[in-house]
């Protein structure tokens, strides 16, 4: 089983739609979880951290389910500028060092 | 606006040649990472340093790859000899190395080995 698995997509949605991505991770001892965003031919950038209680940042909501070992990202009211690849990221260790394991990403295409 | 810088941004070379990629981490960051990204494998961690000391380079092909941090402002990744399968985007990232701390990525070096 891969350490971090994501549906590669692409998810094609119209502007204004709500879209959700899921991600599963294999290491039950994983401590930290993140969503990164990567635009075409650019570097990955942190979108948001994922907390156990769930957290929201504007139109973006992240959830963590430790029992099922999955993470979700919900985007409401999609904008054209949301088109990108969304990387699910896990820190698999409890050591505190920020070694991150990246999923291969889910591509989102928002159309007019 | 502090950023990670990488040079060169693009590199085309022939098989067998040496390739050196450089990274300047964000000032004050004590952890530096090298990643390789391909369509097939996604982002793979090659090596990382903490306070300039190599902590893990198990993701790196040892026979041809080497990573160093000669000082706190410079990290290098060298491939010698290069092979076509090394063609990828190589990212450097830096951070403060704590559990929930984010990593900041440089723009990457796009390497094509012919």
């Amino acid at each position: 089983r891969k350490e971090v698995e994501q549906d590669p997509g692409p998810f094609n949605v119209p502007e204004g739609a709500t879209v959700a991505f899921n991600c599963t991770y294999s290491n039950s001892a994983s401590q930290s979880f993140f969503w990164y965003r990567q635009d075409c031919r650019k570097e990955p950038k942190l979108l948001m951290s994922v907390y156990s209680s769930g957290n929201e940042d504007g139109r973006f909501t992240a959830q963590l389910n430790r029992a099922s070992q999955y993470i979700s990202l919900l985007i409401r009211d999609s904008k054209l500028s949301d088109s990108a690849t969304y990387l699910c990221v896990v820190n698999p260790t409890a050591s505190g060092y920020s070694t991150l394991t990246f999923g291969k990403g889910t591509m989102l295409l928002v159309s007019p | 606006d502090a950023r990670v810088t990488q040079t060169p941004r693009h590199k085309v070379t022939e098989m067998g040649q040496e390739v050196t990629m450089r990274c300047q981490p964000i000032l004050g960051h004590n952890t530096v990472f090298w990643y390789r990204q391909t369509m097939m494998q996604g982002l793979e961690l090659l090596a990382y340093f903490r306070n300039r000391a190599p902590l893990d380079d198990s993701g790196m092909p040892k026979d041809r790859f080497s990573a160093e941090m000669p000082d706190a402002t410079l990290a290098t990744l060298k491939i010698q000899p290069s092979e076509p399968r090394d063609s990828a985007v190589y990212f450097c990232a830096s951070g403060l190395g704590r559990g929930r701390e984010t990593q900041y990525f440089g723009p990457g070096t796009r390497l094509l080995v012919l």
Side-chain angles (χ1 to χ4, degrees):
Chain A
R1 181 181 176 185
K2 295 178 184 173
E3 290 189 64
V4 180
E5 289 201 68
Q6 297 181 249
D7 181 341
F11 284 56
N12 289 283
V13 302
E15 269 186 295
T18 295
V19 62
F21 311 134
N22 289 331
C23 157
T24 58
Y25 60 95
S26 60
N27 187 340
S28 60
S30 297
Q31 297 295 311
S32 307
F33 309 89
F34 310 87
W35 283 101
Y36 275 64
R37 170 193 169 130
Q38 186 172 22
D39 293 290
C40 186
R41 300 182 72 81
K42 298 286 189 180
E43 70 272 23
K45 292 182 180 178
L46 177 69
L47 178 65
M48 60 195 303
S49 300
V50 186
Y51 300 110
S52 296
S53 55
N55 50 298
E56 188 174 305
D57 182 3
R59 298 181 292 109
F60 299 83
T61 301
Q63 297 276 358
L64 168 64
N65 185 319
R66 285 190 184 270
S68 302
Q69 295 180 210
Y70 81 78
I71 307 151
S72 64
L73 177 68
L74 181 78
I75 305 175
R76 292 181 299 278
D77 188 23
S78 299
K79 311 292 185 190
L80 295 177
S81 57
D82 294 334
S83 297
T85 296
Y86 291 83
L87 304 171
C88 176
V89 186
V90 174
N91 180 344
T93 70
S95 70
Y97 292 124
S98 288
T99 56
L100 301 179
T101 300
F102 287 77
K104 290 186 180 180
T106 298
M107 183 181 291
L108 172 65
L109 298 172
V110 182
S111 54
Chain B
D1 186 20
R3 297 186 183 199
V4 176
T5 58
Q6 289 186 246
T7 57
R9 295 290 305 276
H10 303 271
K11 177 73 175 179
V12 180
T13 191
E14 293 185 343
M15 183 173 63
Q17 297 298 306
E18 177 178 300
V19 176
T20 299
M21 291 168 271
R22 294 177 174 81
C23 166
Q24 182 171 5
I26 293 173
L27 191 64
H29 283 186
N30 63 355
T31 313
V32 175
F33 306 83
W34 282 106
Y35 292 90
R36 175 172 62 185
Q37 187 174 39
T38 61
M39 289 291 291
M40 292 298 294
Q41 300 297 328
L43 263 172
E44 302 173 282
L45 179 65
L46 297 176
Y48 74 99
F49 296 77
R50 184 174 178 85
N51 296 323
R52 295 177 55 202
L55 286 192
D56 187 356
D57 60 1
S58 59
M60 206 163 65
K62 300 290 192 303
D63 56 338
R64 298 182 300 107
F65 284 60
S66 61
E68 296 179 347
M69 272 202 81
D71 62 62
T73 64
L74 177 65
T76 62
L77 180 66
K78 190 174 294 186
I79 308 174
Q80 169 61 22
S82 58
E83 298 181 1
R85 59 182 168 150
D86 301 330
S87 298
V89 182
Y90 291 82
F91 288 106
C92 173
S94 72
L96 291 170
R98 294 190 289 267
R100 297 202 65 85
E101 191 67 33
T102 188
Q103 293 179 17
Y104 295 85
F105 281 73
T109 294
R110 295 185 173 276
L111 175 64
L112 177 62
V113 183
L114 302 173

